[in-house]
Amino acid sequence: MKIGIIGSGHIGGTLTRRLSALGHDVTVANSRGPQTLAELAQETGATASTVEQAAQGADVVVVAVPLKAVPELPADAFAGTVVVDADNYYPERDGNIAELQDRSVSSSRWTADHLQGARVVKAFNTIMAQHLMENGRPAGQAGRIALPVAGDDAEAKRMVMELVDALGFDPVDGGSLDESWRQQPGTPVYGADLDADGVRQGLAQARP
């Protein structure tokens, strides 16, 4: 697939490496400009670009930026596109966002509201970058880590779940975008590296 990745930090950089290695056509962008991505592009074979270029014509775009940067993204560039929200809300970094502080909306719903028209799916926010890089396993292997995937668009969710599986993790349906709070920081599945049954149990046990 043609995959755009917005953000070159821990998760964005890791997904650039892993998805390029799987043979996908990866384009990576960040807020500082493509000239700052030359080393990552050379290492992985990915194309360094602007945010708009990374989104243009992509089958899937991964957004892995500090949550406070989401409102600065060019929303029109993502219209109609499957957007994987790999972000988490950390108040100490992102500041006081009232509706996220009081949990009246999930952080992914907040992101979707800013990226109107995008087909937003929540994934890759529960795992440490090093584990995402190193701990993928073939399907059916004991100890395979599971990752929850939440969203409202069934086809978009299926596409993302297939990517999760190809990367070596068991995808678990995390419900709707409004239910994606069940995989946010502070919940049983966050950073826990559970198997599929453990993720299902953790999602069910999560409390607002």
Side-chain angles (χ1 to χ4, degrees), residues 29-192:
N30 64 14
S31 60
R32 301 183 302 281
Q35 70 280 359
T36 66
L37 295 166
E39 189 174 325
L40 180 61
Q42 185 173 9
E43 175 195 340
T44 61
T47 302
S49 75
T50 65
V51 171
E52 289 85 354
Q53 289 167 338
Q56 186 175 14
D59 298 301
V60 174
V61 176
V62 179
V63 173
V65 300
L67 196 76
K68 63 183 178 183
V70 167
E72 300 166 15
L73 295 174
D76 291 349
F78 304 98
T81 302
V82 177
V83 171
V84 181
D85 171 23
D87 297 342
N88 287 306
Y89 175 50
Y90 301 115
E92 63 277 12
R93 179 196 65 190
D94 300 312
N96 180 19
I97 301 173
E99 58 267 48
L100 300 183
Q101 286 274 43
D102 67 16
R103 294 192 171 225
S104 57
V105 299
S106 68
S107 65
S108 284
R109 175 60 66 196
W110 184 86
T111 293
D113 287 344
H114 283 287
L115 303 180
Q116 287 286 341
R119 303 162 67 191
V120 176
V121 177
K122 184 74 163 185
F124 300 118
N125 72 300
T126 59
I127 187 169
M128 290 177 57
Q130 184 178 356
H131 296 182
L132 181 61
M133 187 71 196
E134 300 174 355
N135 293 356
R137 299 287 183 270
Q141 189 172 105
R144 198 184 201 213
I145 295 170
L147 301 179
V149 180
D152 299 336
D153 183 315
E155 183 188 2
K157 191 189 289 189
R158 177 189 58 77
M159 289 174 64
V160 177
M161 292 177 87
E162 288 176 357
L163 270 183
V164 169
D165 183 50
L167 287 164
F169 303 92
D170 280 335
V172 171
D173 192 329
S176 70
L177 213 56
D178 288 328
E179 291 178 290
S180 65
W181 64 267
R182 295 179 179 276
Q183 64 194 76
Q184 291 179 176
T187 63
V189 301
Y190 179 76

